[in-house]
Amino acid sequence: MSGGNQPKDHHWWPVALQRYWADRQGDVAWIGSDGKLGKKRFYNRNIGYKRHGHTMFKGQGVWENNFESEFDIDDKIHNIIAALKSLKPLGISLKDIRAILTLLLKKGRSGRDGCHFYHLDEQLHRNLLLLLHSLLIRSPSFRSKYERFPTRFGLPQNEDVGKANMNQNYRLAKRLCANGYISLHSFVLLHSPFKKFICGDGHLDWLTCGLTANRIDGRALVPLTPHLCVYFCTLNSRRTSAPNCASLLAPQWMVDQANDIAQIYSGNRLFYLGKPPRLSPHFLNGQFLEHNNHRDPLIEVLDEIAGNNRDRNFLTGL
């Protein structure tokens, strides 16, 4: 699970995921917005955690409620990753040679032409959806956004407001992921065997804002491992028999743009495997930034692959 033996050890980046970012020596490396490098053993529970991050207090330090145990989806992480890896993209096996040659000769080809398509079984679908929500809602980026909310009314930033919103949003997400309507969901799996994704303390999250309206609607881009990034979106329509998951070998430009997005939404730390990433001005600000509106060139391409060709009037985020 995500927590340790002590109720104060609360992880926004699950220990189970840290394993996939470890080098041959077993170290997970990161770089801060100040340019300083760090590393620790992947099994060290002091990576990606906040002390009492999921504990609600009453009075002077009296423990009232600890919702760390709600993130039990962490127990399924290895099974989820294994299942996603088994959904092979086009071009990973010799039997794909004919399809690739046909694709190269095709005029006006689209991003969908380079994918294998699958239909996720319902349990994997719901587990993956909950894992994505848990990573978004636990992230320091999400916490910071809601801790700052009182400043809109001239009040000081409040950590308890951030915790309360995390707790409420995750309980809503857990219920909707378990029992909600899922037929209009679509996933895109970006596999990158060579060039690696990076992961930060914030993610592109145009999804969790819909929870307060009791719905799962929006988009999210979350790197799970250095070689696997997941895009999620909701559609306005789909044929019953249509697949709900596309798997592709991500070209270098896609990985580069996904990593640029990670630097926009992260404020303090970027995790990586191999060489440290070149830091962008966005990350060097040391703040949790986001798009001015819900538009991004990579997301538009991934939308097309997912079968989401509609044109929405997006609202700006918080």
Side-chain angles (χ1 to χ4, degrees):
M1 285 180 59
S2 57
N5 294 325
Q6 302 297 323
K8 63 184 179 182
D9 298 326
H10 299 163
H11 285 76
W12 51 262
W13 199 39
V15 176
L17 280 182
Q18 295 172 19
R19 174 179 179 179
Y20 298 95
W21 296 81
D23 61 19
R24 292 180 179 178
Q25 288 70 46
D27 291 326
V28 174
W30 67 82
I31 187 169
S33 55
D34 56 4
K36 293 182 179 179
L37 302 175
K39 63 170 57 177
K40 282 186 178 181
R41 290 288 189 261
F42 79 83
Y43 51 78
N44 191 317
R45 294 185 178 274
N46 293 330
I47 301 176
Y49 88 113
K50 181 176 175 62
R51 182 163 295 186
H52 292 303
H54 305 144
T55 301
M56 300 293 294
F57 290 101
K58 180 179 181 181
Q60 298 298 316
V62 178
W63 178 53
E64 183 183 43
N65 180 41
N66 180 340
F67 56 95
E68 169 75 354
S69 62
E70 289 291 328
F71 298 104
D72 52 355
I73 187 62
D74 290 2
D75 295 331
K76 299 181 175 67
I77 283 177
H78 295 311
N79 290 336
I80 293 172
I81 297 294
L84 297 183
K85 286 182 176 180
S86 72
L87 303 177
K88 303 296 184 182
L90 181 69
I92 207 71
S93 65
L94 293 176
K95 68 179 182 180
D96 293 333
I97 291 178
R98 178 178 294 181
I100 293 173
L101 291 175
T102 302
L103 177 61
L104 292 175
L105 296 173
K106 182 179 178 180
K107 294 182 179 180
R109 59 182 181 269
S110 71
R112 291 176 63 84
D113 294 323
C115 302
H116 274 318
F117 291 91
Y118 301 91
H119 192 90
L120 301 186
D121 69 74
E122 182 175 342
Q123 193 57 61
L124 175 59
H125 182 145
R126 292 186 182 276
N127 285 343
L128 176 56
L129 186 61
L130 182 57
L131 176 60
L132 295 180
H133 274 88
S134 77
L135 295 174
L136 295 173
I137 292 170
R138 273 186 285 185
S139 72
S141 175
F142 183 99
R143 182 193 303 271
S144 175
K145 179 167 59 178
Y146 282 98
E147 286 179 357
R148 296 194 313 269
F149 189 77
T151 64
R152 294 184 175 189
F153 307 99
L155 300 173
Q157 185 168 315
N158 191 311
E159 183 176 351
D160 286 338
V161 172
K163 291 181 183 180
N165 276 278
M166 288 172 60
N167 191 6
Q168 178 185 25
N169 277 268
Y170 188 67
R171 289 180 185 275
L172 284 170
K174 204 167 186 180
R175 177 172 57 81
L176 291 172
C177 289
N179 303 307
Y181 188 65
I182 63 173
S183 66
L184 296 179
H185 296 172
S186 188
F187 299 89
V188 180
L189 308 180
L190 286 75
H191 300 265
S192 182
F194 304 109
K195 188 170 181 64
K196 301 177 181 67
F197 295 104
I198 61 175
C199 178
D201 51 6
H203 307 288
L204 185 148
D205 176 9
W206 303 341
L207 179 63
T208 58
C209 58
L211 291 171
T212 54
N214 206 36
R215 69 179 190 275
I216 292 177
D217 184 25
R219 294 159 167 77
L221 183 71
V222 181
L224 295 181
T225 81
H227 304 289
L228 177 64
C229 185
V230 178
Y231 175 67
F232 169 83
C233 68
T234 50
L235 312 178
N236 60 348
S237 65
R238 172 194 271 128
R239 298 191 310 274
T240 304
S241 59
N244 61 4
C245 180
S247 181
L248 78 152
L249 281 174
Q252 179 173 329
W253 72 267
M254 276 193 179
V255 180
D256 287 339
Q257 289 200 26
N259 289 344
D260 285 344
I261 289 173
Q263 296 209 38
I264 291 172
Y265 283 82
S266 298
N268 296 303
R269 278 191 179 185
L270 295 172
F271 299 94
Y272 61 90
L273 179 62
K275 294 181 179 179
R278 179 178 297 177
L279 301 184
S280 73
H282 300 110
F283 182 65
L284 289 171
N285 274 322
Q287 300 178 22
F288 296 108
L289 304 177
E290 51 190 70
H291 290 76
N292 289 330
N293 55 59
H294 289 184
R295 295 286 187 184
D296 181 88
L298 174 61
I299 300 307
E300 291 179 359
V301 172
L302 296 178
D303 261 350
E304 179 189 358
I305 292 173
N308 205 1
N309 296 316
R310 60 184 170 177
D311 183 21
R312 291 179 171 178
N313 294 317
F314 293 124
L315 298 175
T316 57
L318 289 174

